[in-house]
């Protein structure tokens, strides 16, 4: 089959990027011909990309030898949108002026849409009409397909645009409606995201054509690792980063990443990991505040924070204040909250509440943890796959709704318990794991609220109290459950069906 995908962003780094990269690979692995529109300027370096299309003076030109043998193929096209890249959360993108959608004028948005409509038309003119099509995000991919006359097509709602852009800024509803009304189906990662969509965009009958379509996990890359192999795996990744070309991962200090991984490998106690954006909504402040309580019961423990984002300096300041036992400084950081992310000051209520009355002796145990938290910076997906199985536990403490707990599913596939905040798409991941592996039903979740920090610390300590041999055996059960429930081949087949309006029903929790 010839399959057309519109993504509009990169093919590495964050959730929807990883989704499209793995989806394209899985579709090609099933023998399909994939045509993917995105803005990844290094797409040609990816070993699964067979050809790349760009627009020059003579229009669309494609370079690449194509697949080496029979089977599927992936061609990536990069529409000529210029330097302005509309995004949902502002982060640095090499070579782009990345600006949040609400900051753009209607004229800038329309120029972006029409440029991509023209690019889709050029691709179809070269390849012929697709047999199945997928538009990613609620804006602006579906509107692009609607105007380009693509029929039928499915839409994948990843959640970030809905929560960060559309709900706070209703001016975008008209573009959502334009793209969703002709769509054959809308895929969501969880019932939570579906309900949020239906409430935000009523009147289009979306309930009848919304189906379950969570991301998948590459279980060949994410798989359990024996305890005696963990330090070597981390050190091996550090060596790869150190030997790599300068600037191979945009925005990362390679020396700092190598040092952080070296500290993680040398841990004399358990290893705890967070992977994700370093922004306020990911709740990393809760993990840093819980860390002294964890270390008090687990001497020699190390925490690795893998990611990047606008709140990194705030998190470093919080870790530094606690490492100095300076609770007053930590309270100031909690009061500033989002102000340290670049926005208006906004108190972090859960953190501030905990610091207002910390446990007896908290300042002392916090001082004892100085230097036990490391920041690796951005980790590419294959790097995450190398380091994640070497952890004893991962934490997903998001305080903002998540469409699906993809990183939690990857942790599970690696045999590492993902301890998650109990809400939205995260809860739908943890409920599957708890149902299939009853031994994790206690420590796998914590509640957001006034007791969030203490509750998170308790869940981590509960898991680390389990005998290591038993913990490894349970980890293999978790990995088996992830393999049964989330695989990329299954996702790829669901996308093809969804393009024709055939969807999996969403279970009401």
């Amino acid at each position: 089959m010839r399959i057309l995908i519109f993504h509009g962003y990169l093919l590495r780094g964050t959730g929807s990027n990883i989704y499209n990269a793995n989806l394209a690979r899985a579709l090609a692995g099933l023998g399909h011909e994939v045509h993917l529109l995105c803005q990844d300027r290094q797409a040609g370096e990816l070993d699964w990309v067979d050809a790349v299309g760009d627009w020059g003076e003579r229009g669309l030109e494609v370079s690449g030898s194509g697949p080496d043998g029979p089977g599927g193929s992936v061609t990536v096209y990069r529409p000529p949108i210029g330097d302005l890249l509309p995004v949902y959360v502002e982060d640095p993108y090499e070579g782009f002026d990345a600006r949040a959608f609400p900051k753009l004028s209607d004229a800038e948005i329309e120029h972006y849409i029409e440029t991509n409509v023209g690019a889709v038309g050029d691709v179809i003119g070269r390849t012929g009409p697709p047999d199945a099509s997928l538009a990613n995000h609620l804006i602006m991919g579906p509107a692009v397909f609607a105007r380009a006359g693509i029929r039928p097509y499915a839409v994948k709602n990843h959640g970030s645009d809905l929560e960060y852009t559309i709900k706070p800024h209703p001016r975008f509803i008209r573009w959502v409606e334009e793209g969703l009304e002709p769509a054959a189906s809308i895929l969501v990662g969880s019932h939570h995201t579906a309900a949020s969509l239906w409430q935000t965009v009523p009147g289009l009958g979306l309930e009848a054509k919304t189906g379950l379509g969570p991301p998948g996990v590459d279980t060949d890359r994410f798989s359990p690792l024996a305890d005696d192999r963990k330090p070597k795996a981390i050190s091996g990744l550090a060596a790869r980063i150190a030997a790599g070309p300068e600037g191979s991962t945009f925005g990362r200090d390679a020396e700092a990443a190598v040092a952080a991984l070296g500290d993680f490998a040398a841990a004399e106690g358990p290893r705890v990991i967070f992977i994700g954006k370093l922004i306020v909504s990911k709740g990393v402040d809760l993990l840093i505040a819980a860390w002294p309580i964890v270390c008090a019961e687990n001497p020699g423990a190390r925490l690795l924070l893998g990611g990047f984002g606008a709140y990194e300096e705030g998190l470093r300041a919080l870790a530094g204040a606690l490492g100095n036992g300076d609770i007053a400084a930590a309270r100031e950081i909690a009061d500033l909250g989002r102000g340290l992310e670049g926005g208006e000051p906004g108190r972090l209520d859960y953190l501030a509440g905990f610091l207002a009355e910390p446990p007896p002796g908290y300042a002392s145990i916090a001082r004892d943890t100085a230097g036990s938290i490391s920041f690796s910076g951005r980790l590419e997906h294959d790097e995450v796959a190398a380091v994640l199985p070497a952890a004893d536990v991962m934490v997903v403490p998001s305080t903002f709704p998540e469409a699906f707990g993809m990183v939690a599913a990857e942790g599970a596939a690696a045999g590492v318990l993902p301890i998650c905040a109990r809400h939205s798409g995260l809860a739908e991941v943890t409920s599957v794991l708890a149902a299939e592996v009853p031994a994790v039903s206690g420590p796998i979740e914590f509640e957001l609220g006034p007791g969030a920090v203490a509750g998170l610390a308790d869940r981590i300590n509960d898991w680390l109290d389990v005998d290591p041999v038993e913990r490894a055996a349970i980890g293999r059960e978790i990995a088996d459950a992830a393999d049964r429930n989330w695989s990329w081949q299954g996702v790829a087949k669901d996308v093809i069906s969804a393009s024709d309006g055939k969807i999996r029903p969403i279970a009401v929790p």
Side-chain angles (χ1 to χ4, degrees):
M1 295 179 70
R2 182 181 301 122
I3 300 173
L4 181 68
I5 300 174
F6 182 91
H7 174 40
Y9 296 101
L10 309 185
L11 296 174
R12 56 197 110 194
T14 55
S16 65
N17 298 341
I18 300 303
Y19 174 92
N20 280 279
N22 282 290
L23 173 63
R25 292 175 65 185
L27 287 166
L30 292 171
H32 301 297
E33 177 187 318
V34 181
H35 298 275
L36 169 60
L37 289 90
C38 71
Q39 286 297 325
D40 195 315
R41 295 183 177 178
Q42 281 77 47
E45 299 173 4
L46 299 169
D47 59 9
W48 50 270
V49 172
D50 300 296
V52 175
D54 285 303
W55 278 258
E57 293 181 359
R58 293 182 294 177
L60 174 58
E61 298 179 1
V62 177
S63 60
S65 58
D68 293 333
S73 64
V74 177
T75 302
V76 168
Y77 304 86
R78 297 177 289 209
I81 63 170
D83 295 333
L84 177 60
L85 181 66
V87 296
Y88 316 115
V89 177
E90 287 188 354
D91 284 309
Y93 287 82
E94 188 173 15
F96 288 104
D97 173 16
R99 270 187 271 162
F101 270 100
K103 295 182 180 180
L104 303 183
S105 67
D106 285 5
E108 288 172 318
I109 291 171
E110 284 296 326
H111 174 75
Y112 173 79
I113 294 173
E114 289 301 325
T115 300
N116 281 301
V117 168
V120 168
D122 289 344
V123 170
I124 293 175
R126 178 182 180 274
T127 65
D131 300 302
S133 302
L134 176 72
N136 282 272
H137 299 288
L138 301 178
I139 55 173
M140 293 294 174
V144 169
F145 272 8
R147 294 189 192 183
I150 303 298
R151 300 292 188 277
Y153 63 90
V155 173
K156 170 58 177 166
N157 176 15
H158 295 277
S160 52
D161 57 347
L162 179 61
E163 300 297 338
Y164 289 104
T165 303
I166 299 163
K167 289 171 71 172
H169 303 280
R171 68 181 270 233
F172 291 95
I173 293 291
R174 67 182 179 94
W175 284 297
V176 177
E177 292 175 338
E178 179 184 1
L180 295 192
E181 189 167 16
S185 66
I186 301 101
L187 295 173
V188 297
S190 64
H191 178 272
H192 167 85
T193 301
S196 183
L197 170 62
W198 300 335
Q199 182 179 23
T200 306
V201 191
L204 293 184
L206 300 183
E207 292 86 349
K209 60 180 183 180
T210 304
L212 188 62
V217 178
D218 186 340
T219 52
D220 290 330
R221 290 187 177 188
F222 290 88
S223 58
L225 194 62
D227 281 348
D228 60 353
R229 295 177 56 197
K230 291 180 177 181
K232 186 175 181 180
I234 304 168
S235 298
L237 174 58
R240 279 168 45 199
I241 293 173
E246 186 175 350
S248 57
T249 295
F250 173 65
R252 178 172 72 192
D253 181 334
E255 287 188 14
V258 169
L261 290 167
D263 290 340
F264 200 50
E268 296 179 358
R271 299 182 182 91
V272 180
I273 193 168
F274 165 86
I275 298 292
K277 285 283 193 72
L278 299 184
I279 56 179
V280 166
S281 61
K282 295 300 182 181
V284 190
D285 57 298
L286 305 181
L287 175 55
I288 290 175
W291 187 242
I293 303 173
V294 173
C295 288
E297 292 194 19
N298 298 277
R302 297 284 319 190
L303 171 60
L304 181 69
L305 303 178
F308 63 97
Y311 194 51
E312 179 175 344
E313 292 308 312
L315 294 172
R316 287 182 179 272
L318 177 61
L322 294 179
N324 291 328
D326 191 343
I327 305 304
R331 287 174 182 148
E332 291 179 6
I333 293 166
D335 286 338
L336 283 170
R338 292 187 181 276
L340 296 175
E341 193 177 55
E344 292 295 322
R347 186 173 182 263
L348 303 181
D349 290 335
Y350 303 147
L351 177 62
F354 172 78
L355 293 173
E357 295 185 51
Y362 180 75
S364 176
I365 63 173
R367 275 192 295 271
D368 292 340
T369 65
S372 63
I373 300 176
S374 300
F375 291 76
S376 71
R378 182 195 303 256
L379 293 174
E380 298 292 2
H381 198 232
D382 62 328
E383 295 170 346
V384 173
V387 71
L388 181 51
D392 295 290
V393 60
M394 77 175 302
V395 180
V396 190
S398 296
T399 56
F400 200 73
E402 298 279 359
F404 178 76
M406 183 174 180
V407 71
E410 289 175 339
V416 179
L417 181 72
I419 297 177
C420 304
R422 189 160 76 90
H423 63 78
S424 64
L426 295 178
E428 295 184 41
V429 172
T430 55
S431 64
V432 168
L433 296 174
E436 298 204 15
V437 188
V440 305
S441 60
I444 200 169
E445 293 179 319
F446 73 99
E447 296 284 353
L448 293 179
V453 172
L456 173 56
D458 287 345
R459 299 291 81 75
I460 296 172
N461 285 334
D462 288 346
W463 179 244
L464 295 179
D465 274 346
V466 177
D467 177 78
V469 174
E470 182 181 355
R471 204 164 62 219
I474 296 171
R476 289 190 291 273
E477 292 184 47
I478 297 171
D480 289 343
D483 191 36
R484 285 191 297 272
N485 287 279
W486 305 293
S487 74
W488 278 111
Q489 284 200 340
V491 171
K493 292 173 182 176
D494 283 348
V495 165
I496 293 172
S497 297
S499 179
D500 201 31
K502 300 171 185 173
I503 53 175
R504 283 196 287 151
I506 303 169
V508 178

